[in-house]
Amino acid sequence: MSTTDTVRRPRTTTDFDEELIPRYSFVERVNHWFGALTYSYCLITGLAFWTPYLYWLAAIVGGGPTARFWHPWFGLFFTVSQFLMFVQWGGDMEMDHDDRVWADNIKAYINNEDDKLPPVGRFNWGQKIYFWAMVGSTILLLLSGFVLWYVEAVPWSFHILRYVAILIHASVALITIGLFLIHVYMSTLLEEGSFASMVYGTVTRAWAWTFHRKWYYQVTGKSRPNQ
Amino acid sequence: MSQASTEIIKISGHAGTVPGAGLNREFQVCKLVDTTTCIGCKACEVACLEWNGYTFSQTTFANSYQTMPETAWNYWNLIKFNEHERDDGSMMLLMRKDQCMHCEEPGCLEACPADGAIVQYANGIVDFQEAHCIGCGYCVTGCPFNIPKFSPEAHKVFKCTLCNDRVSVGLEPACIKACPTGCLHFGTKSDMKDLAESRAEQLRDVSGFADAGVYDPAGVGGTHVIYVLHDAKNPELYGGLPKDPHIPYSVWLWKKPLKWLGNLAMIGGIVGLALHYLRVGPKREEPIPPEDRGPS
Ligand code: HEM
Ligand code: SF4
Ligand code: SF4
């Protein structure tokens, strides 16, 4: 496999490479974990309602009625975290030309041939897509969730709303679950150093250079050699 | 089954065949509501409240005799009053006792996510087990008859039980017992069906209601509450009785294809990610080349 030597190459980084630079502020990290926690709660309780095979998940958060009571509230808290994230990161998440080239060559990313990709800013195309998909999904989950929340508030003459809401809510939740799985996998297992960056707020220079080169140039004041 | 101990299969010292051997007992029960003989007295409404331990609720006046617009979580049995102008210009007051239909294919049960919150008994009664109900309201989405009602106080859903507690000890439902005109009947499904059909025939042949018929909608597999209607072609006239009730298509879509697609996608996704990790492994940081090093 062509990727073997790039992936398993022994590290020859220098002290300079291993110096830490800040990546996420304290507030960014708190909000990220607030979002992660509230999403996970919605996920666990939502999956319990989704299929009888996972109904036992309700037991670990206090039983069915408790799960039903808190799910919408945690959905609201999650919405708050998403709104704050939008304020914090919305600007950094705008797509540029390099992102589109990156997306066209996403196969190289999947095969760990990152050197074949254009340089990446603070966030890569995948992270940006995840971000915007989550923001959009949150709005849909919130609107459909509200219809389902107060059962007695939707009169029979509007009962079609319920049909639409449950289909939207479940489908959108599924889409976010898919994205969420990828997100968790990439940041815990795939890209070493990512998880720590969201815990400690720092990354090594080498990490920044490897994965977010444009951002590395930006924060270290280095200009791109061929610019 | 309590009936099992009344059915004899062998008798000692008995010449000849066993009486009743080979008998087929029908467990399916049914309530027959003959709307054509209802006088709108609401005795059934009161009997239902009494038996089930609810106090009389606030009524809502909307220019008719009807107690309130629709059944409530603590008001399971409601006579719906509808004024109907016939082709010849004369008026008819259509009165229909509204309650859970105890569907053979209950949409409420299909939609419910909570283990044991809704059960269907062999006799056809569909009963909510409030101890297991989580109050999600999915049954409200699943029911084509607008029957399950959410109680904001209990955070649970309630509806007519067909007096399961009475029926299981051999009594008829409270509403049947209270009805003074005999417009309510209770018995096996086939007996009630026969009775309903003969009444409908009588209405057609003798009383001049050419469209009289029995309401036992096939879309939900038949119901364990059936109606005799003067005009079976227009059940909507009777306070919104649906013409062709069925489990909503959206509920089917949600509980069948979407569920399996979603489950497959989730399992497939997890397996896919694991395989990806085994195939290409982690992404590691690389040393910075000299031209990009140096103090910032
Ligand atoms: C944004 C605010 C949200 C609100 C107001 C909300 C509300 C609701 C409500 C009222 C239900 C009906 C069942 C119940 O509560 O027991 C529900 C179901 C569900 N929710 Fe949410 N929710 C929200 C966010 C989320 C999020 C972020 C997820 C992420 C996975 C999610 C996943 C689910 C799932 C999977 C179901 C079950 C669907 C089914 O049974 O097929 N929800 N939600
Ligand atoms: S409200 Fe109760 S009975 Fe109705 S679907 Fe939810 S858990 Fe089942
Ligand atoms: S009428 Fe509604 S609540 Fe009653 S059994 Fe049918 S679907 Fe369930």
Side-chain angles (χ1 to χ4, degrees), chain B residues 128-146:
Chain B
F128 283 22
Q129 311 287 308
E130 273 77 18
H132 299 295
C133 170
I134 64 172
C136 62
Y138 285 4
C139 50
V140 179
T141 310
C143 173
F145 293 99
N146 184 21

Side-chain angles (χ1 to χ4, degrees), chain A residues 1 9 16-18 50 55 68 109-110 112 114 152 156 163 185 190 192 204 209-210 216-217 220 222, chain B residues 134-136 146 150 250 259 263 276-277 279-286 288-289 292-294 296:
Chain A
M1 191 163 46
R9 180 167 48 179
F16 174 84
D17 291 1
E18 291 304 318
W50 164 253
Y55 191 60
R68 166 60 174 96
Y109 188 75
I110 293 170
N112 279 3
D114 292 33
E152 72 279 19
W156 180 248
Y163 303 159
Y185 164 64
L190 191 68
E192 294 185 350
T204 64
W209 184 85
T210 310
Y216 168 80
Y217 293 136
T220 58
K222 289 232 121 213
Chain B
I134 64 172
C136 62
N146 184 21
F150 184 82
S250 53
K259 187 123 304 176
N263 290 346
H276 180 261
Y277 193 67
R279 176 111 175 94
V280 305
K283 291 179 188 291
R284 296 210 166 97
E285 63 183 30
E286 286 171 39
I288 306 175
D292 275 349
R293 272 193 202 139
S296 50

Side-chain angles (χ1 to χ4, degrees), chain A residues 49 55 68 151, chain B residues 107-118 127-130 132-142 148-150 155-158 254-255:
Chain A
F49 313 137
Y55 191 60
R68 166 60 174 96
V151 181
Chain B
C108 55
L109 191 148
E110 202 58 46
C112 177
D115 196 350
I118 305 179
D127 203 11
F128 283 22
Q129 311 287 308
E130 273 77 18
H132 299 295
C133 170
I134 64 172
C136 62
Y138 285 4
C139 50
V140 179
T141 310
K149 295 285 152 52
F150 184 82
H155 282 271
K156 288 176 190 296
V157 167
F158 299 85
W254 160 41
K255 288 286 174 175

Side-chain angles (χ1 to χ4, degrees), chain A residues 39 42-43 46 49-50 68 71-72 75-76 78-79 141-142 145 148-149 169-170 173, chain B residues 136 138 254:
Chain A
Y39 181 84
C42 288
L43 177 66
F49 313 137
W50 164 253
R68 166 60 174 96
H71 174 98
L76 271 192
F78 175 69
T79 307
L141 285 169
L142 184 71
L148 301 172
W149 192 348
H169 202 78
Chain B
C136 62
Y138 285 4
W254 160 41

Side-chain angles (χ1 to χ4, degrees), chain A residues 171-225:
Chain A
S171 316
V172 174
L174 280 172
I175 292 169
T176 69
I177 292 169
L179 296 170
F180 178 75
L181 285 174
I182 297 173
H183 173 72
V184 171
Y185 164 64
M186 303 228 348
S187 44
T188 54
L189 282 172
L190 191 68
E191 199 171 283
E192 294 185 350
S194 280
F195 187 76
S197 76
M198 198 45 86
V199 178
Y200 304 113
T202 52
V203 293
T204 64
R205 284 175 193 274
W207 187 95
W209 184 85
T210 310
F211 299 120
H212 297 273
R213 202 157 301 165
K214 267 198 287 183
W215 179 70
Y216 168 80
Y217 293 136
Q218 211 178 316
V219 294
T220 58
K222 289 232 121 213
S223 61
R224 277 164 71 179

